[in-house]
Amino acid sequence: MKIFCIGRNYADHAKELGNKVPTQPLIFMKPPTASLRDNRDFYYPEFTKDLHYEVEVILKICKNGKHIQTAFADDYYKEIGLGIDFTARDVQSRCKEKGHPWEIAKGFDHSAVMGKFLSKEQFQMNNISFHLDKNGETVQKGNTKDLIFDFNTLICYISTIFTLQKGDYIYTGTPAGVGPTVQGDVLRGFIDTEQIFECEVK
Ligand code: MG
């Protein structure tokens, strides 16, 4: 199982971190040990002092494919979910300054929170509304209509480089509003009004 993540896929988020809007998808990966499911608690890692949440819609890949064409991309996922791409922002900033890879800031254990998955049939892929609440207050709000690269474009592009396999996931990017989280916070993600995950930071 592979976890692909897309960076800077909402213009307002790219802007808030002082990054340019990309001209092709920015891809990085997390290892399988990054996944955190079943509403389990997340333990604040020792190597960061600035852990950020990034709420993201997740695609669950349902069959293998390479060089997938746009017209068929839609067949490669049947379910969507919601999760958090936890990021050690201080570590990431140091990596970026030095031109180093991001893995230690993004791929650590349990950095990929995943909630339940829902059949995509009940949604329009270009109009999925989602939000993240921290301690009962909404801190991030997004809609997939604002994606720079839509789901099918991401599937096509990733599959030109990596073979997509059944069971892989794609975190499709975060909207504006990312911010720090501390021990004791309870993070809850919603698609429309339905709660998809809950995660307490310990
Ligand atoms: Mg992200």
Side-chain angles (χ1 to χ4, degrees), residues 53-57 82-84 128-134 136-143 175-176 187-197:
Y53 50 77
E54 297 187 357
V55 72
E56 311 200 1
V57 174
L82 194 73
I84 297 178
I128 300 170
S129 166
F130 59 100
H131 67 276
L132 179 73
D133 285 5
K134 182 169 87 167
E137 263 186 56
T138 301
V139 287
Q140 277 193 281
K141 238 179 167 174
N143 188 297
L187 302 167
R188 290 191 185 93
F190 298 81
I191 293 179
D192 294 326
T193 53
E194 181 170 355
Q195 184 172 312
I196 306 297
F197 68 81

Side-chain angles (χ1 to χ4, degrees), residues 22-90:
T23 52
Q24 59 181 24
L26 190 165
I27 297 174
F28 61 93
M29 291 168 78
K30 297 183 187 241
T33 44
S35 76
L36 182 67
R37 299 167 202 250
D38 304 323
N39 294 328
R40 290 206 190 99
D41 298 334
F42 175 84
Y43 288 85
Y44 201 107
E46 285 172 8
F47 55 80
T48 178
K49 291 189 166 51
D50 194 22
L51 181 76
H52 277 206
Y53 50 77
E54 297 187 357
V55 72
E56 311 200 1
V57 174
I58 309 169
L59 311 182
K60 188 177 184 179
I61 299 299
C62 63
K63 63 176 183 174
N64 296 2
K66 176 84 178 171
H67 292 297
I68 298 163
Q69 293 172 13
T70 319
F72 303 109
D74 203 43
D75 299 339
Y76 285 80
Y77 68 104
K78 293 196 184 94
E79 293 174 295
I80 60 155
L82 194 73
I84 297 178
D85 162 19
F86 271 131
T87 303
R89 195 70 73 200
D90 47 354

Side-chain angles (χ1 to χ4, degrees), residues 8-9 92 126 146 152 178 199:
R8 304 172 195 166
N9 204 17
Q92 187 194 30
N126 59 359
D146 298 318
N152 289 351
V178 302
C199 177

